[in-house]
Amino acid sequence: MCRSALAFFTATLVCLQNCRPGPAPFLRAAWVFSVVLGLGQSEDNRCASSNAVSCTKCLVLGPECGWCAQEDFISGGSKNERCDIVSNLINKGCSIDLIEYPSVHVTPSENEINTQVTPGEVLIQLRQGAEANFMLKIHPLKKYPVDLYYLVDVSASMHNNIEKLNSVGNDLSRKMAFFSHDFRLGFGSYVDKTVSPYISIHPERIHNQCSDYNLDCMPPHGYIHVLSLTENITEFEKAVHRQKISGNIDTPEGGFDAMLQAAVCESHIGWRKEAKRLLLVMTDQTSHLALDSKLAGIVVPNDGNCHLKNNVYVRSTSMEHPSLGQLSEKLIDNNINVIFAVQGKQFRWYKDLLPLLPGTIAGEIESKAANLNNLVVEAYKKLISEVKVQVENQIKGIYFNITAICPDGSRKPGTDGCGNVTSNDEVLFNVTVTMEKCDVMEGKSYAIIKPIGFNETTKIHIHRNCSCRCDDSRGPKRKCVEETFLDAKCFQCDENKCHFDEDQFPSESCKSHKDQPACSGRGVCICGKCLCHKIKLGKVYGKYCEKDDFSCPYHHGNLCAGIVCNAFTLTICLKLYLIGVKPHVLSRNSIMWTKHQNVSLAQAT
């Protein structure tokens, strides 16, 4: 939590500084704030305790880390002086203008063209480990234009339901007038793939699959687009009246095949960009799924494209059925909501599919489809009252967390969305974007947040802010690699990115004894050598950072009376000091004390 608070605070600090020329009074207040909270002194300060010898390596440690690029910032200090929390760098004398700290920015589009989904575009600058937030707003319209396309299973068992369609046009149009000022209807039919084992290929039945029932059926077909979307209700009823039933011999039908074509063949169907697009699928049987086609020797995967020629699906016998995932993707891409109107016991099968097909609803139709119009109206009311979103065009290494804030005040995951939304409501989505790593540069640079069933989206442009401004010729020269600590045999550096081979230089060479910590616990072992910490009490030095200039007592300004201060002499000094002996004269060859003139070195130890 401290890290998050610190990262947020330093981001605000630097961001505000970037907005104003020169040092600002609030920087000193910021320094006081960090000191009071003890943020910079935390033992968990991964910036200062790191092995970062370059700006780039420092910045990837965490969103709270900054790098001081000031040339004269340190002299003889330890390598981690330059990499620290921003407030610490300021405290140690680094100019705010020379602190490398890529900030996080969220910039909504100024030229807004969307009316339902805002903002339409967002530019986000991210650094590794940081997160950016913005609020997405969705405001449904009061009345949408509506395009309703009937996709009907015309196998023989659906005969009574097809007859009911002859009279739905005018009645449905009147009922939908309450919700839409612009309503259009279209029509298409499907059966199954016209190959064995889905249909009978016996010469006497190939063109009339219903001959066993003394019925005159049309030849089987995968999908036929019968009538494009039209406002002419009479034309719709005439097209339905002319429709004949067909047949096949296995139970499942080719519904998903036909649904995908109806979704992607936009110009044939006549889908309007500004309309709510409804695909009503009427059936009494389940549908074939991907891989079922292998029973007929069809192994080419469905390519998801439109293949209508003279309004007939011409690749039915050469491409597999689509998978559920593929069908879902095409429905969402084309802003289509599906209403499954199912008769009989297969209703449960379609209901179980709803979680896998966002923006779909299943309703059970009664005998002879008596409740069809009411089912459509209720399904439409439910669809427009639900607001859900999903992320498309995902970017590698970028993660989205979306929370819906519903009109009733409840919070839900964005994929669950909000229900019971009216045209007077506004649904908010809190979008959090994070970047895990900076080394992922390939692939897409934008993602899309798409509300299900809406014809507007939010496009999010991502800029990875991972580099240091070392090549910026404007202003003072910047130092982004601390060459003082680079050993050509150990470090490999490429464009400010440095790393070292820890296996080649084990930490054992940095220990005075094998049971001692590396560098006496007062430094870091880099390339087999100790780099001692620089602390406020004084200087730490020595091959193993075992020496310092502050642990032993002073006499007349001389540390330990002029002899080398180390663990051995420190022990003597402390023991004598504890028994009340004060140093007077201490040389390399003898030890003389004011109280006990004859105390020898051996006696003291």
Side-chain angles (χ1 to χ4, degrees):
M1 182 174 177
C2 288
R3 274 185 189 169
S4 300
L6 184 56
F8 172 79
F9 174 72
T10 42
T12 306
L13 176 71
V14 176
C15 180
L16 288 172
Q17 175 64 20
N18 289 340
C19 299
R20 303 181 183 184
F26 68 85
L27 290 180
R28 295 189 182 277
W31 173 82
V32 173
F33 176 79
S34 63
V35 170
V36 170
L37 292 184
L39 297 175
Q41 306 303 322
S42 170
E43 294 181 0
D44 201 25
N45 183 350
R46 54 183 172 181
C47 313
S49 63
S50 70
N51 292 329
V53 293
S54 71
C55 177
T56 303
K57 190 167 184 178
C58 174
L59 296 185
V60 301
L61 293 172
E64 73 275 18
C65 298
W67 173 271
C68 181
Q70 186 173 313
E71 279 247 277
D72 59 352
F73 179 55
I74 59 172
S75 56
S78 66
K79 60 158 189 44
N80 59 10
E81 290 288 299
R82 291 189 180 275
C83 184
D84 207 336
I85 293 166
V86 171
S87 57
N88 285 356
L89 294 176
I90 297 171
N91 185 36
K92 289 188 284 188
C94 186
S95 171
I96 186 67
D97 296 325
L98 292 172
I99 294 178
E100 293 289 334
Y101 185 83
S103 52
V104 176
H105 293 289
V106 178
T107 309
S109 172
E110 295 181 356
N111 302 317
E112 191 59 69
I113 59 174
N114 283 2
T115 57
Q116 304 170 68
V117 182
T118 56
E121 283 193 84
V122 178
L123 171 63
I124 297 180
Q125 294 185 19
L126 274 178
R127 66 173 289 183
Q128 179 169 324
E131 64 179 34
N133 293 82
F134 70 94
M135 201 65 76
L136 177 69
K137 299 179 181 179
I138 299 180
H139 187 88
L141 299 180
K142 187 172 184 179
K143 286 190 176 184
Y144 291 93
V146 175
D147 289 343
L148 174 61
Y149 188 80
Y150 280 84
L151 183 59
V152 182
D153 170 8
V154 294
S155 57
S157 59
M158 288 288 291
H159 177 68
N160 291 332
N161 295 321
I162 295 172
E163 287 184 347
K164 172 63 179 178
L165 284 178
N166 293 330
S167 59
V168 301
N170 283 308
D171 181 46
L172 182 58
S173 181
R174 285 191 299 271
K175 290 183 177 180
M176 288 297 293
F178 182 77
F179 306 99
S180 174
H181 54 75
D182 187 359
F183 181 61
R184 302 196 308 171
L185 290 170
F187 179 69
S189 67
Y190 72 90
V191 183
D192 209 341
K193 293 186 179 297
T194 57
V195 291
S196 178
Y198 309 121
I199 68 165
S200 173
I201 57 174
H202 190 279
E204 294 182 2
R205 297 191 59 189
I206 190 71
H207 296 295
N208 184 2
Q209 299 287 311
C210 309
S211 57
D212 289 350
Y213 303 97
N214 296 319
L215 294 173
D216 182 20
C217 290
M218 68 180 296
H221 52 277
Y223 164 59
I224 296 178
H225 168 53
V226 179
L227 179 68
S228 298
L229 291 161
T230 178
E231 296 175 352
N232 191 329
I233 304 302
T234 301
E235 187 177 355
F236 171 80
E237 291 180 339
K238 287 181 178 178
V240 174
H241 182 72
R242 290 193 297 265
Q243 180 65 46
K244 291 184 176 183
I245 62 170
S246 185
N248 59 337
I249 59 175
D250 72 332
T251 300
E253 320 291 10
F256 290 171
D257 235 357
M259 286 174 63
L260 190 142
Q261 290 300 302
V264 300
C265 296
E266 187 173 16
S267 60
H268 294 77
I269 306 301
W271 297 116
R272 292 175 292 177
K273 176 176 171 41
E274 71 277 10
K276 279 289 187 183
R277 302 176 176 184
L278 303 181
L279 180 62
L280 177 71
V281 180
M282 284 184 62
T283 185
D284 61 352
Q285 294 296 341
T286 61
S287 174
H288 283 294
L289 302 171
L291 303 181
D292 285 0
S293 316
K294 287 180 169 51
L295 290 171
I298 302 173
V299 296
V300 178
N302 196 299
D303 62 8
N305 296 323
C306 178
H307 294 288
L308 289 185
K309 186 174 182 180
N310 297 324
N311 292 329
V312 176
Y313 176 35
V314 295
R315 296 294 302 274
S316 174
T317 59
S318 58
M319 282 199 316
E320 288 188 322
H321 296 280
S323 66
L324 278 171
Q326 186 180 29
L327 178 60
S328 175
E329 177 185 351
K330 294 302 177 180
L331 292 171
I332 292 172
D333 286 348
N334 290 278
N335 308 314
I336 292 175
N337 291 113
V338 175
I339 303 171
F340 288 115
V342 186
Q343 185 178 50
K345 59 184 180 180
Q346 302 302 341
F347 167 72
R348 177 56 57 183
W349 188 85
Y350 285 93
K351 192 173 180 63
D352 290 342
L353 290 180
L354 299 187
L356 304 176
L357 297 171
T360 59
I361 286 180
E364 191 169 8
I365 54 178
E366 299 170 357
S367 176
K368 297 185 179 181
N371 65 329
L372 182 61
N373 284 351
N374 289 335
L375 186 151
V376 171
V377 171
E378 291 302 314
Y380 179 72
K381 287 167 60 178
K382 188 173 189 304
L383 285 171
I384 62 174
S385 70
E386 294 180 338
V387 179
K388 303 177 182 179
V389 300
Q390 73 172 31
V391 180
E392 296 184 346
N393 206 56
Q394 285 274 17
I395 307 172
K396 187 177 180 180
I398 304 294
Y399 300 93
F400 291 83
N401 184 20
I402 303 177
T403 301
I405 305 173
C406 302
D408 61 4
S410 62
R411 292 173 176 261
K412 300 177 181 178
T415 51
D416 292 345
C418 302
N420 300 317
V421 178
T422 70
S423 58
N424 297 320
D425 294 328
E426 183 177 70
V427 181
L428 302 179
F429 290 86
N430 184 18
V431 182
T432 301
V433 187
T434 56
M435 180 171 66
E436 187 178 64
K437 291 184 178 180
C438 267
D439 57 0
V440 183
M441 299 303 295
E442 76 280 359
K444 301 175 285 291
S445 61
Y446 69 90
I448 293 174
I449 296 182
K450 183 174 182 60
I452 306 299
F454 285 75
N455 56 16
E456 295 179 354
T457 61
T458 294
K459 190 173 185 180
I460 304 173
H461 301 271
I462 302 294
H463 173 68
R464 294 179 173 91
N465 203 352
C466 299
S467 61
C468 300
R469 296 171 291 171
C470 301
D471 299 326
D472 192 350
S473 58
R474 300 167 296 177
K477 184 178 179 182
R478 312 177 83 87
K479 192 179 187 72
C480 287
V481 178
E482 188 50 78
E483 297 93 345
T484 307
F485 306 103
L486 299 185
D487 184 339
K489 297 178 181 179
C490 174
F491 281 89
Q492 292 81 42
C493 295
D494 179 22
E495 296 182 357
N496 301 317
K497 292 183 179 180
C498 298
H499 60 277
F500 61 90
D501 187 353
E502 295 181 0
D503 295 331
Q504 184 179 353
F505 298 91
S507 61
E508 296 300 320
S509 60
C510 293
K511 297 179 180 180
S512 57
H513 301 286
K514 63 179 181 179
D515 57 344
Q516 294 294 316
C519 302
S520 304
R522 303 197 295 180
V524 289
C525 185
I526 302 294
C527 300
K529 296 180 180 179
C530 285
L531 296 174
C532 304
H533 294 315
K534 184 178 180 181
I535 59 179
K536 292 181 179 180
L537 293 175
K539 183 180 180 181
V540 179
Y541 61 102
K543 181 179 180 181
Y544 304 108
C545 300
E546 79 280 12
K547 303 174 184 179
D548 62 50
D549 63 1
F550 53 84
S551 295
C552 292
Y554 284 75
H555 184 70
H556 293 306
N558 294 319
L559 180 69
C560 277
I563 71 166
V564 176
C565 178
N566 56 30
F568 181 64
T569 56
L570 174 59
T571 302
I572 298 172
C573 290
L574 290 177
K575 286 188 176 183
L576 293 175
Y577 187 81
L578 289 173
I579 63 173
V581 179
K582 297 184 179 179
H584 175 59
V585 177
L586 186 61
S587 68
R588 296 178 185 276
N589 300 318
S590 64
I591 300 179
M592 302 295 292
W593 303 92
T594 56
K595 185 176 181 181
H596 298 284
Q597 297 290 327
N598 297 321
V599 176
S600 66
L601 181 64
Q603 288 173 325
T605 57

